[in-house]
Amino acid sequence: MEVNKRDELPDVATLEIVVRPDVGVTSTREQFLQDRIRRVVAPVIALELLPRTLIQIVVQIVQSGDTKILNTITLSASINATYMALLDAGVPLRSTVSATSIIYYTAATSDASKTNVLIDPTRAELEKIEKDIASVHTIAYELKGGKIERLLLSESVGSFTEDQVFECYDTAANICEETNRTMREAVTKSVQQKSRWRET
Amino acid sequence: MPEPQPFAEALSSSPQLFARLLPTVYFDKYLSLDPPIRPSLRSPTQFRPCSINTSALPNTFGSSVVRMGECIAVCGITGYIIDTAEAGPSALYTNVDIVGRAGPPQSELMSMSEWMYETALATKLFDPVQLRIDDTAQTVVLQAQIQLLSQMYSGDVAWAALLAALAVTRIPKAIPADDEETLTSDFGTEPVVRFSKTETQKLELNYENLPWCVNFGVMDDTGLVLADLEGRVEEVSVQGRITMVTSAGTSSIQNLSISAGKSIISKEHIRQCIAFAKHRAAELDSILKSQIYQSNGNG
């Protein structure tokens, strides 16, 4: 895209990320999300291959999977959506990205000390346990060839221990590989459909 | 690593110019010394010196001035009375601003402001029930205004200023406003209240050891962990970031934010950082405690 002379960078592409909420006006929350998405996506795009251009990413939230005070589902979904959009646009990328949300909460049962785990929950599931949330984790991994390569981003908020965080990373690694497979299937199907005219 | 060539004879430009033009090379030259040292002359695991002053601002419920290295943040806590039904999930609203800058807030500041609000909410610094006003359906809501006084700023200094201010915050008692200072109202039967000018009550925090914010960097190539990044050279040269909010003396962590950039961050890195962070939290606790002790007229 054409970039303002003022924002133009001589050796790399300029990356602009905008997040628009489903309801209401943009606030500091969207700034926060933009910053985190940028941290994930900027190292993965081969920015030096497109100097003096602008890559503009607009994330429009159609339906929020978060409750009023959480950001995690929006963040992990935005990261995945951004990645798929970059693939679709044909922007040169170094590797695959995949993100997930994991939530620890205390169960409202007699054993109050037990922590339960929700992975990529729906909004309904979140609202049910909202009062009992102990910690919320958003994790994004970089994958190469369908296998986890390294951790890209991890946002953990609440009250948790070192062991819980590491447990999250391991769980998230498996989920992200799964998500990656799903993405791969979707992209393969899409490419096959778009290439259909070539087959005759 | 090849021996760094002496450059003084070639162009004889100043170190400051070198730092501005080639910050990563400048940084590497320092780190390649034995033992490695940073341009700020701190060792890789050394934190910035920190000083805290509390209750310096008038007309606030609580205030603090925190300095870490070159970064200075001032926090003032005030509050207002609203109907409990209108109160949102948080009893504390934070706003971060840079002094002396006109125009719309920078996106980095907005992001920091949001981070502070979310962390304050999730960290449950105090129980909002203590802010409810007896015999009314109203509650006090606190507003924390954090001003960054230096050109360099970081989230941990702003957060430290917030914590220190909250630690000395005293909420004025709410008394019936039946004097000439208040407009009378015919609406509803709720007594109108206002803040007392004389009676205050200490805000009780949920933490004995406060949850301080600490940041680290992880170098791309060497995986070296650097504590407490500060300055443009370090910000540009170090991509991997680990920021956490944690308190001493407990195994729990309140916030852990990891952004790898191009570096590889391992569990070992994270473990190391958590251990350092707990030490730093203990150090900051004692700095704050001794400052409060002194400002109460002792020592």
Side-chain angles (χ1 to χ4, degrees), chain A residues 28-29 31-32 35 39 43 69 71 150-162 165-166 169-170, chain B residues 89 107 110-111 114-115 118 121-122 251-263 267 270-271 274:
Chain A
T28 48
R29 181 173 176 263
Q31 282 295 337
F32 177 81
D35 178 67
R39 289 186 193 187
I69 55 173
N71 276 334
R150 66 189 179 99
L151 183 68
L152 277 180
L153 180 87
S154 151
E155 290 286 326
S156 305
V157 189
S159 180
F160 49 94
T161 63
E162 186 179 309
V165 163
F166 288 155
Y169 289 164
D170 294 333
Chain B
S107 51
M110 289 204 264
S111 192
E114 176 70 20
W115 174 86
E118 282 184 17
L121 191 60
S251 64
S252 79
I253 307 168
Q254 278 71 40
N255 188 308
L256 178 60
S257 177
I258 299 177
S259 153
K262 295 213 164 71
S263 64
K267 285 186 184 170
I270 300 171
R271 271 199 202 99
I274 293 177

Side-chain angles (χ1 to χ4, degrees), chain A residues 57-123:
Chain A
I57 300 171
V58 178
V59 180
Q60 170 68 61
I61 301 173
V62 174
Q63 191 180 39
S64 175
D66 277 314
T67 59
K68 263 202 312 210
I69 55 173
L70 292 180
N71 276 334
T72 177
I73 309 285
T74 309
L75 182 55
S76 56
S78 298
I79 292 171
N80 287 332
T82 302
Y83 177 72
M84 300 281 294
L86 286 168
L87 267 185
D88 193 47
V91 173
L93 300 168
R94 288 185 229 282
S95 51
T96 315
V97 167
S98 169
T100 182
S101 294
I102 298 180
I103 299 183
Y104 283 93
Y105 65 100
T106 48
T109 61
S110 52
D111 187 4
S113 61
K114 187 173 187 306
T115 29
N116 294 7
V117 186
L118 268 185
I119 298 172
D120 286 329
T122 62
R123 183 162 180 171

